[in-house]
Amino acid sequence: MSDTVSPQLGQIVKILRGRDLNKYAVIIAIVDQRFLWIADGDKRKFDQPKKKNLLHLQLQDVISQEVVNSLLETGRVTNGKLRYALNKFVETQQMEAPTQEGE
């Protein structure tokens, strides 16, 4: 596999395959080398996460410390915290993306 970066708990991923194509989610558990459990706190709640193949995800350079701390302390994370982490990430992405309005 060309991508040698290993996924981390709390890391934000972009979904590349399936029903949730191009949506973002947070890694809430790592099964093994190939599979992860992801949730977004909205369509995919913490209690009903989606098992995804790592090859179907694009790892982002952002890890939500709030999510990681919550998972390490209590073994769970609230759906609100997942939504907050994703919203914060998306807002940051939009601010960094160059705007196309001037054309």
Side-chain angles (χ1 to χ4, degrees):
M1 192 160 69
S2 62
D3 190 8
T4 55
V5 180
S6 59
Q8 309 277 318
L9 275 182
Q11 188 167 15
I12 295 181
V13 295
K14 183 176 183 182
I15 301 167
L16 302 176
R17 294 271 190 292
R19 177 178 302 182
D20 297 324
L21 179 67
N22 292 331
K23 295 216 170 82
Y24 292 99
V26 181
I27 298 173
I28 59 169
I30 298 169
V31 178
D32 55 28
Q33 299 293 311
R34 281 189 53 204
F35 291 100
L36 310 167
W37 288 102
I38 60 170
D40 64 8
D42 183 23
K43 298 262 185 293
R44 278 278 162 209
K45 305 278 198 243
F46 177 81
D47 294 329
Q48 296 284 311
K50 176 77 178 151
K51 187 178 184 183
K52 287 295 267 185
N53 187 324
L54 184 55
L55 298 175
H56 297 170
L57 301 171
Q58 180 182 57
L59 298 174
Q60 305 298 307
D61 293 335
V62 177
I63 295 175
S64 168
Q65 279 312 125
E66 292 105 333
V67 172
V68 174
N69 293 341
S70 183
L71 285 168
L72 293 176
E73 286 168 21
T74 64
R76 14 184 333 107
V77 64
T78 64
N79 292 312
K81 224 173 244 183
L82 291 172
R83 287 192 303 270
Y84 174 77
L86 289 168
N87 287 336
K88 201 163 81 168
F89 170 75
V90 168
E91 281 172 20
T92 309
Q93 292 295 101
Q94 287 169 346
M95 284 197 284
E96 289 174 4
T99 54
Q100 305 283 319
E101 294 169 19
E103 295 178 18

